[in-house]
Amino acid sequence: MVTTFAAEHGVSPYLRFSRSDWARLRNGAQLPLTTYELDRMVSLNDTVSLDDVADIYMPLLRLLQLYYEASQQLYQVTNVFLGSPSQGRVPYVIGIAGSVAVGKSSTARILQALLARQHPELAVDLITTDGFLYPNRILQERGIMHRKGFPESYDRRMLIEFMANVKSGLPYLEVPLYSHLTYDIMPMLTQVIDCPDILIVEGLNVLQRGGRPARTPQVFVSDFFDFSIYVDADERHLQQWYIERFIRLRETAFRNPSSYFRRYAELSEEEAIATARRIWREINYVNLKQNIEPTRERADLILEKGERHMLEQVYLRKL
Ligand SMILES: Nc1ncnc2c1ncn2[C@@H]1O[C@H](COP(=O)(O)OP(=O)(O)OP(=O)(O)O)[C@@H](O)[C@H]1O
Ligand SMILES: CC(C)(CO)[C@@H](O)C(=O)NCCC(=O)O
């Protein structure tokens, strides 16, 4: 729910849509995905149905297509003004924010697939800001292993430099990769971002501001966004989804000998629930309240989920 000062006083910078009102904005477009394809994009313990794609993602896709086209027209207009195509095209950047376990990565993967499917001529890339976390070695040196996901656990300078380079149209940029399995940055492995038409940047920190001394120039990741989305859910649901996912990981990924959490594979279900609840309460919940939720009203669009990941409402910022 949008709870800005403005909302509390009866005005809001957002238009609110019920699921059915939003679904109507699809305007009859065909569904370009099958259930099989969709299931492969959805994260463990997240639930996205073809109805969600039809009701929520297809109207969103239509909106993004219109905004993207408008940005291309603006680019042409600028060239007319300059009298020559003196500036190269730069990627259109979409940010996706939200809590741990809300389903950001599924949202990002589905949008990427839908955009690419509708526009085979466009290159649509996706990165996660997990790659900009400091390696565990540095987090340990600084005594902040328990602060993973908090602002200070990211190399914010590297992230801002990357965003500035993307939006300057630089080719062949390398992004470090993070492994949830080893719980660390992967040595020697990077993802190459080579001036795509559209870049989706997903991470819990993408709408955050601050962290620099007051008198240095303030530049934020979101300064480089053309459009931003916050995936929202009540904290009770988030805690439940985090715990459910932890229990499922205990039966799957934690059993992998390379898993950082392999010691948790031996826990009884009761112990696993208690452990997940503690990690949620001491780390991810604190981060949600202090650093993630306060950024929600910076988003252009808020997707609100209810029980069982059901997408219930959409808020679109009035332009
Ligand atoms: N400890 C882990 N071991 C293996 N896989 C994990 C672990 N933690 C998370 N994952 C998987 O990695 C993917 C991304 O997880 P991540 O923590 O980035 O998502 P998130 O921040 O919780 O947000 P979201 O669920 O919104 O994508 C998910 O599919 C999740 O199931
Ligand atoms: C890597 C992040 C910060 C974000 O994806 C998160 O998944 C995480 O690992 N948080 C730290 C606490 C935990 O293990 O859940």
Side-chain angles (χ1 to χ4, degrees), residues 25 41 81 96 115 159 168 214 218 227 255 260 277 311:
L25 301 173
M41 290 169 212
F81 169 70
I96 301 183
L115 284 164
L159 177 55
S168 308
Q218 299 276 306
F227 192 81
R255 301 200 177 278
Y260 179 83
R277 188 168 281 142
L311 284 154

Side-chain angles (χ1 to χ4, degrees), residues 43-44 99-105 130 180-181 245 249 253-254 261:
S43 300
L44 187 70
S99 167
V100 165
V102 76
K104 300 179 297 298
S105 23
D130 291 350
H180 284 280
L181 192 67
R245 185 172 80 183
L249 287 167
F254 293 172
F261 289 111

Side-chain angles (χ1 to χ4, degrees), residues 25-235:
L25 301 173
R26 171 182 166 192
N27 273 13
Q30 290 291 313
L31 267 199
L33 288 180
T34 62
T35 312
Y36 174 74
E37 289 169 321
L38 180 63
D39 287 349
R40 293 176 55 193
M41 290 169 212
V42 175
S43 300
L44 187 70
N45 203 50
D46 194 352
T47 311
V48 186
S49 65
L50 275 188
D51 281 346
D52 292 326
V53 176
D55 292 351
I56 303 289
Y57 286 95
M58 291 306 288
L60 177 54
L61 178 67
R62 195 177 139 235
L63 178 74
L64 286 173
Q65 285 171 313
L66 290 169
Y67 280 15
Y68 176 73
E69 281 160 25
S71 79
Q72 299 308 298
Q73 282 161 15
L74 196 58
Y75 165 75
Q76 302 291 354
V77 169
T78 310
N79 284 339
V80 170
F81 169 70
L82 294 172
S84 65
S86 59
Q87 46 160 1
R89 276 193 324 112
V90 297
Y92 185 84
V93 182
I94 301 169
I96 301 183
S99 167
V100 165
V102 76
K104 300 179 297 298
S105 23
S106 310
T107 302
R109 282 193 292 266
I110 293 167
L111 275 185
Q112 180 190 26
L114 291 175
L115 284 164
R117 200 51 73 86
Q118 295 293 73
H119 295 279
E121 73 286 6
L122 299 182
V124 186
D125 281 352
L126 163 62
I127 66 157
T128 152
T129 60
D130 291 350
F132 293 90
L133 282 162
Y134 285 114
N136 286 355
R137 182 183 53 78
I138 295 184
L139 295 176
Q140 274 151 4
E141 266 168 30
R142 297 184 182 178
I144 54 170
M145 264 304 270
H146 61 293
R147 303 279 291 175
K148 209 176 255 202
F150 284 70
E152 66 273 23
S153 65
Y154 293 93
D155 188 337
R156 282 169 287 179
R157 180 186 292 264
M158 182 164 48
L159 177 55
I160 292 287
E161 264 172 29
F162 167 78
M163 295 304 304
N165 287 340
V166 165
K167 269 303 199 186
S168 308
L170 290 192
Y172 207 88
L173 300 170
E174 287 186 74
V175 179
L177 285 170
Y178 182 79
S179 161
H180 284 280
L181 192 67
T182 61
Y183 204 61
D184 203 354
I185 295 294
M186 296 199 261
M188 319 295 281
L189 276 181
T190 55
Q191 176 183 0
V192 172
I193 299 300
D194 195 13
C195 220
D197 299 286
I198 300 177
L199 176 66
I200 301 174
V201 182
E202 173 257 307
L204 39 82
N205 57 343
V206 297
L207 292 173
Q208 286 171 11
R209 299 188 181 165
R212 287 196 173 215
R215 271 184 292 137
T216 58
Q218 299 276 306
V219 186
F220 311 110
V221 176
S222 56
D223 291 342
F224 302 99
F225 289 167
D226 295 282
F227 192 81
S228 57
I229 299 169
Y230 186 97
V231 188
D232 194 22
D234 189 278
E235 63 198 46

